[in-house]
Every structure is written in structure tokens, then in C-alpha cells.
Amino acid sequence: MNILIIGLGSIGQRHLRNLKLIEPKSNFYAIKSKRIKSAPLLNNFNKVLKGDIKKKYSLKYFNSISEIFKNNIKIDCAFVCTPSSKHISEVIELLKFNVNCFVEKPLGSSSKNLSKLEGLLKKKKKLITMMGYQLRFNPIIKFLNKVIKKKSPIGELISANIHHGENIKDFHPYEDYRISYAAKKKLGGGVILTQIHEIDYFLHLFNEYKIINKSYVSAKISDLDIDVEDVFSSNFLLKKNKNKIFCSINLNYFERPKKRKFYLIGKNGSLVACFNTQKIHIIKNGKEKIFKFNFKKNDIFINEIKFFISKVKSKKLISKNLNLYNGIKTLRFALKLKNRFIK
């Protein structure tokens, strides 16, 4: 296979490392602009290593997407891992060249060209696309999906809370947080789009429910040197048939130690899922049952890449709940939430 990587920051290198394990005989290409400083060589824990990315992974560099095709190179699939603000334009160009695309979250940072992308996807029906929402491959999310949609061990559901707080200074220890895409409006930063995984899995877990009421607000309240929101809070009233659920989502850029949890309350008990400890606690009738999930962080990235590559090889389309149509839906939803920004 001929595989193209666009963007060699932390997530681009993670995918590259994993692809080298999954497809060791493939040829790897990358877009390297002369204007952009080279990223350091990183490991799975974002620690800087000695060495050069190009030599380490036997990459062949090009200055642009169009230059690759001028050289008559047939790309089987591309991974878009650049700052969020560049995703949509890069995906549109790749689709025009009939390239299967894997796009890191979020799909973009504004609604500009979203309709154009949607129209292009309808024309390029045979192309395989996928969004990089790796939490969909997390065993905890799969467990929660069964609890909410099939049979709840805590009875009829009443309320849910999604919480993700992590200090932006800890995202990439190898770089100054102030220059990262997450800190800059022009690059598509802000806690809502950067932590959009929580919004995506909220829409995924509760896709059988209708949102009948909502309120939300975001703001910049810390002393972090950023020009985007660092905190977001929202409330949603959901309804499915006669059942109503109250769900809240809380995100922030300043919490230490980091906390990533999902809370669920039912008529007969409660559930707490912790993504950091990889445990789910279910309390019912005064008794607690603990489910422990043993996996490495990189495992879910490997699983999502294996899934995408298998679809590319078999030429089987990925369903709309995980492809670029899902990316469009989640981005539009997230952009509406950014409208209530208090300065």
C-alpha cells in the first residue's frame, strides 16, 4: 500500500508508528512544508527521542498533495493529522484525487466549506472515509453503549454527566502550550473542539434520544495564555418515548490531576466510569460491582487503524456513524455550542 500522512505532530506520529506495525511493507509518504519547523521525533508517551522522523520511518517528503499526483503516485489512503483549521480543505483536495481518507478529530474549526464537502462526498460514494474518534474503540464506551441501549443494570435511566478536565500544559510536554493548535483560535483550538470526543460519544450513546431542551455556556476564566475558551458547561434534556434523561457535559483546560469520567444514575442504582483508571463501578441495592478493563492507551488507536485499513483493503464502506458524515454532524453540533462564548 501507498500511505500518505499529512501532519507529523504527536497524533500523526502515533498513527505512523502504528501503521508501520500493521503495514510494515507499505510505502509511506508525508507532506512537509518548508515553512513549518520539523516536529521532534516522539514515542508513544510523547517523549522526545534522538533521531529524524524521515529516516526513522523511511518517509518520502512532498511539498503538497498535488505534487504527489504530479509524480503519478497512487495513494491508497491518507491520514489527515494537521491543525483542525486545515482539515476540511485538505480532505476536499484528497477526495478530488479519489483518495480514501482518515481524518483526525474534529473535522474542522468552522462551517466554511462544510456544505461543499458534503456535496463532494455524495459524488465520491465509493471512497472510504473515517473520523478519528478513537474512544468509539474503547471497551468502556462499548460497555456504556450496551447499558444505555440494551439493558440497564441500574433500572430506568434518569440522569448522566460527562466530565473531562485536563490541563492544556500537560497535553504535549515537548512544546510550549501557547503555540499548540489547542490554544489558538486561528488553528481551531478551544476546549470544545479539542475535547470533542466527549461531545461525539454523547451523541453516539444517546442517538436514540431526542434533545428537547438545552442550555450551554463557554468562557475563558483561567490565566492561561490562550485566545480560546478554557471551560464549557452544558445541560441537555433528552427524551425517548416517555423516558426523559437529564445530561450535562463539563469540559475544562485547567484541571489537575486530570479527570475523565462518565456518571449515570438510574432508578435502582448508579454507575461511574473512569477512563483514567479503566474501571466501571456499578452500585445497586447497597452493593458495588467493579468492572476492570485492562488495555494500553495505544491499543484503541491500533484497533481503529486496523479497522480503517481493513475497510480500505476490502473496499467496504464505513457506516455513517463513524465516517465523515458523522464528522460533519458532530462538528455542526459542536460549533453551535461555541456560539455562547463569554469573554
Side-chain angles (χ1 to χ4, degrees):
M1 296 181 74
N2 289 332
I3 300 175
L4 172 64
I5 308 289
I6 307 177
L8 290 170
S10 62
I11 190 61
Q13 289 189 52
R14 182 181 292 277
H15 290 322
L16 181 55
R17 287 191 299 270
N18 291 337
L19 284 163
K20 276 287 187 177
L21 292 174
I22 298 167
E23 290 292 322
K25 295 182 180 180
S26 292
N27 300 310
F28 290 90
Y29 303 87
I31 304 298
K32 177 65 175 66
S33 173
K34 294 179 180 178
R35 295 179 288 105
I36 300 176
K37 183 181 177 181
S38 297
L41 181 65
L42 304 170
N43 65 11
N44 271 342
F45 305 99
N46 281 336
K47 299 293 184 181
V48 178
L49 305 175
K50 291 182 179 180
D52 178 76
I53 299 173
K54 184 178 181 181
K55 292 180 180 178
K56 172 74 174 178
Y57 298 109
S58 302
L59 290 172
K60 184 171 183 179
Y61 283 162
F62 286 93
N63 293 316
S64 66
I65 295 172
S66 58
E67 185 185 356
I68 292 176
F69 293 93
K70 286 179 181 178
N71 283 269
N72 296 317
I73 298 171
K74 173 69 170 66
I75 298 296
D76 295 291
C77 61
F79 288 75
V80 178
C81 308
T82 48
S84 310
S85 58
K86 298 182 179 181
H87 288 183
I88 294 176
S89 60
E90 289 168 341
V91 170
I92 287 174
E93 187 173 5
L94 288 166
L95 292 178
K96 287 181 178 179
F97 282 114
N98 296 313
V99 178
N100 301 307
C101 296
F102 179 101
V103 186
E104 260 310 315
K105 61 81 186 172
L107 179 58
S109 60
S110 74
S111 59
K112 184 180 179 180
N113 288 326
L114 260 186
S115 296
K116 182 179 179 180
L117 173 59
E118 207 166 15
L120 191 56
L121 284 171
K122 291 177 182 178
K123 293 179 181 178
K124 304 284 185 175
K125 294 180 180 180
K126 293 184 179 181
L127 290 180
I128 297 152
T129 67
M130 181 172 168
M131 283 302 303
Y133 286 120
Q134 79 272 5
L135 283 188
R136 298 288 196 91
F137 293 82
N138 189 312
I140 293 174
I141 291 294
K142 292 182 178 182
F143 186 99
L144 294 174
N145 198 43
K146 292 179 181 178
V147 166
I148 293 170
K149 295 179 180 176
K150 294 185 178 180
K151 188 176 181 181
S152 168
I154 56 175
E156 185 178 314
L157 303 179
I158 300 171
S159 72
N161 173 256
I162 294 169
H163 182 95
H164 184 187
E166 186 173 0
N167 198 292
I168 189 175
K169 295 179 181 180
D170 302 330
F171 286 7
H172 299 153
Y174 60 87
E175 69 176 358
D176 187 334
Y177 79 92
R178 292 171 294 184
I179 66 172
S180 69
Y181 85 91
K184 292 182 173 292
K185 182 179 180 179
K186 68 178 182 179
L187 296 179
V191 75
I192 294 173
L193 292 181
T194 303
Q195 296 181 351
I196 199 172
H197 284 296
E198 270 61 29
I199 294 169
D200 180 71
Y201 86 65
F202 159 71
L203 295 174
H204 172 59
L205 294 179
F206 295 102
N207 69 330
E208 296 177 353
Y209 288 78
K210 182 180 180 181
I211 298 174
I212 59 176
N213 205 340
K214 58 187 175 183
S215 64
Y216 47 90
V217 65
S218 61
K220 162 67 168 64
I221 63 173
S222 73
D223 61 358
L224 289 166
D225 189 9
I226 60 178
D227 64 354
V228 287
E229 80 280 356
D230 58 15
V231 65
F232 168 74
S233 182
S234 62
N235 297 309
F236 300 96
L237 184 60
L238 312 175
K239 185 178 181 181
K240 177 184 176 184
N241 301 323
K242 294 182 179 181
N243 185 30
K244 292 180 181 178
I245 297 179
F246 182 82
C247 183
S248 60
I249 302 176
N250 298 283
L251 311 173
N252 74 70
Y253 261 175
F254 42 76
E255 189 166 355
R256 281 178 173 153
K258 63 182 180 182
K259 184 170 76 172
R260 198 173 201 178
K261 289 188 175 184
F262 177 86
Y263 303 84
L264 196 60
I265 299 174
K267 284 188 175 181
N268 303 323
S270 61
L271 177 154
V272 180
C274 180
F275 292 89
N276 294 330
T277 63
Q278 300 180 351
K279 292 180 181 179
I280 289 180
H281 301 252
I282 295 178
I283 302 171
K284 184 179 179 182
N285 299 325
K287 296 181 179 180
E288 181 179 23
K289 189 172 184 180
I290 301 175
F291 296 84
K292 174 66 177 175
F293 301 83
N294 293 307
F295 60 92
K296 295 178 181 178
K297 177 182 177 180
N298 196 51
D299 291 344
I300 58 176
F301 288 96
I302 288 178
N303 289 339
E304 72 167 346
I305 295 304
K306 281 183 176 179
F307 176 81
F308 175 68
I309 293 297
S310 70
K311 295 297 183 180
V312 171
K313 285 186 170 183
S314 63
K315 297 182 179 181
K316 291 183 179 179
L317 296 177
I318 294 171
S319 63
K320 285 189 175 182
N321 75 337
L322 199 54
N323 67 12
L324 289 197
Y325 283 105
N326 175 68
I328 292 171
K329 180 187 74 173
T330 303
L331 178 59
R332 282 182 171 148
F333 188 87
L335 291 175
K336 289 180 181 178
L337 302 180
K338 286 180 75 72
N339 289 337
R340 291 289 306 279
F341 177 63
I342 299 176
K343 295 183 180 180

